[in-house]
Structures are given as structure tokens and as C-alpha cells.
Amino acid sequence: MLKETAEKLNNQAIMLASHGDYTEAIACFVRALTIENSNSLLWFNLGVTCRDAGDLLSAREALKKAYAINNADEEIVEALALVCYSLGDFSGALYYCEDGLDYNPINPHLWNTLGVIYFSREMFNDACEAFEHAVALNPYYYDALFNLRDTYSELGNAQGENECDSRIKEIEKHGMQK
């Protein structure tokens, strides 16, 4: 009989989740975690699967466990910040963005997420600064450019808005958006 391993269960769960069978995928992750409870990847994958299944509260709890094990993993930090944001937990989302940026200040995704949080709180100057960081790090980051354009619009910066529009059109023309 083949031995059941956390790695095999993780792979099986990923395959199940990719086919939309979240209940079975989650069960596989839970089983894998009984074998390797301190595996941040398993907690992360469980969190992402719960998020994709629409269970944001369970997603946040699993991602917090992954973060407690490995708080330097940018994917964990990004996912946790976004789940907190989706739950309306803006202070949690800000905390994880800022913590992630302390580890890696050149992560454009975290800068963009930080900008989205500020924008939603109508803190447009802070949002502008965050989106500008994201775009400076990745000039072809479509979402950040789009968000920066909207922020410039809120701030009445027509020149900045037009520059973003031009770059967005260039990206669309060349099919470079992610």
C-alpha cells in the first residue's frame, strides 16, 4: 500500500480545486495538515482554496496560520491582505501590506493593494503615492496604471490621467496586460 504523504495530498487537492471541487480539495488539505501541520504551503493552499470557494473567513484563518509560519512569503502576505480587504478588515489589510513592504519594498502588487485600500478609504493622496510606486516598479502593470488613472481623476490631475490613459492604450495595443 502506498503511503499517504502531505505532498501527494497537496497535489491531489490542487487538482481537485482546479476542477472546482472545492469541498474535496479542502478535505485533502485538512488531511495533509494532520501530517504536516507546520507547512506554510499547505495552509496557504487551503486559504486560497477557501477563498476561491467563497469562504473568506476560513480563508483568512488559514492564511493567518501560513503567515505565522512564514511571514516573509510574499504570496501569503498578498493573499492575506486581499482577503482582509474583501472582508472589510481594512486595518488588517493595511497591516499585512505594510508588513510585506517592510520585507520587500519593491513588490508592485503590494503597493497596488495598498493603493486600493487607501482609495477605498478616500485617502487619494496616499493612494496616488502607492500606485505611483507600483507603476515605477513595473511600468506595464495594467491594474496599477488603471488605478492610478482613477486616482489622478479624483485628485483633478488631468495631465497624469492622460499619461496613464496613453500607457494603458499602449499596453492594450501590444497585448501586454496580465
Side-chain angles (χ1 to χ4, degrees):
M1 180 173 180
L2 291 175
K3 184 176 186 230
E4 189 173 64
T5 66
E7 182 180 5
K8 287 178 188 173
L9 288 164
N10 181 59
N11 293 338
Q12 182 180 356
I14 290 169
M15 189 178 71
L16 288 164
S18 72
H19 292 99
D21 194 351
Y22 300 120
T23 303
E24 286 298 316
I26 289 167
C28 281
F29 286 128
V30 169
R31 177 77 183 120
L33 284 161
T34 64
I35 299 169
E36 286 185 29
N37 194 46
S38 62
N39 184 324
S40 65
L41 178 63
L42 292 174
W43 284 110
F44 171 75
N45 288 340
L46 175 61
V48 168
T49 303
C50 288
R51 178 201 65 200
D52 293 349
D55 184 355
L56 296 180
L57 291 173
S58 294
R60 179 172 58 185
E61 291 312 305
L63 291 168
K64 282 171 123 178
K65 289 182 180 172
Y67 177 81
I69 296 164
N70 185 1
N71 68 347
D73 185 305
E74 293 177 51
E75 285 187 86
I76 293 170
V77 176
E78 288 174 32
L80 186 50
L82 288 169
V83 166
C84 286
Y85 175 79
S86 296
L87 285 167
D89 175 8
F90 298 115
S91 62
L94 274 173
Y95 171 81
Y96 294 114
C97 278
E98 289 169 353
D99 193 55
L101 288 167
D102 283 345
Y103 276 99
N104 185 3
I106 60 168
N107 180 319
H109 298 284
L110 284 173
W111 281 111
N112 185 62
T113 301
L114 187 62
V116 168
I117 296 164
Y118 286 143
F119 189 93
S120 70
R121 306 301 306 241
E122 297 183 6
M123 300 167 65
F124 299 121
N125 287 318
D126 292 331
C128 183
E129 187 177 320
F131 294 136
E132 285 174 346
H133 272 286
V135 171
L137 292 166
N138 180 355
Y140 301 101
Y141 190 175
Y142 186 88
D143 291 346
L145 276 167
F146 189 90
N147 292 334
L148 181 57
R149 181 192 65 190
D150 289 351
T151 306
Y152 282 153
S153 175
E154 289 291 333
L155 293 170
N157 180 346
Q159 181 182 350
E161 197 176 344
N162 290 335
E163 287 176 21
C164 288
D165 265 336
S166 294
R167 188 150 340 140
I168 287 169
K169 287 176 184 159
E170 180 185 328
I171 291 169
E172 289 172 343
K173 177 181 174 185
H174 296 289
M176 294 184 281
Q177 69 261 46
K178 50 176 251 169

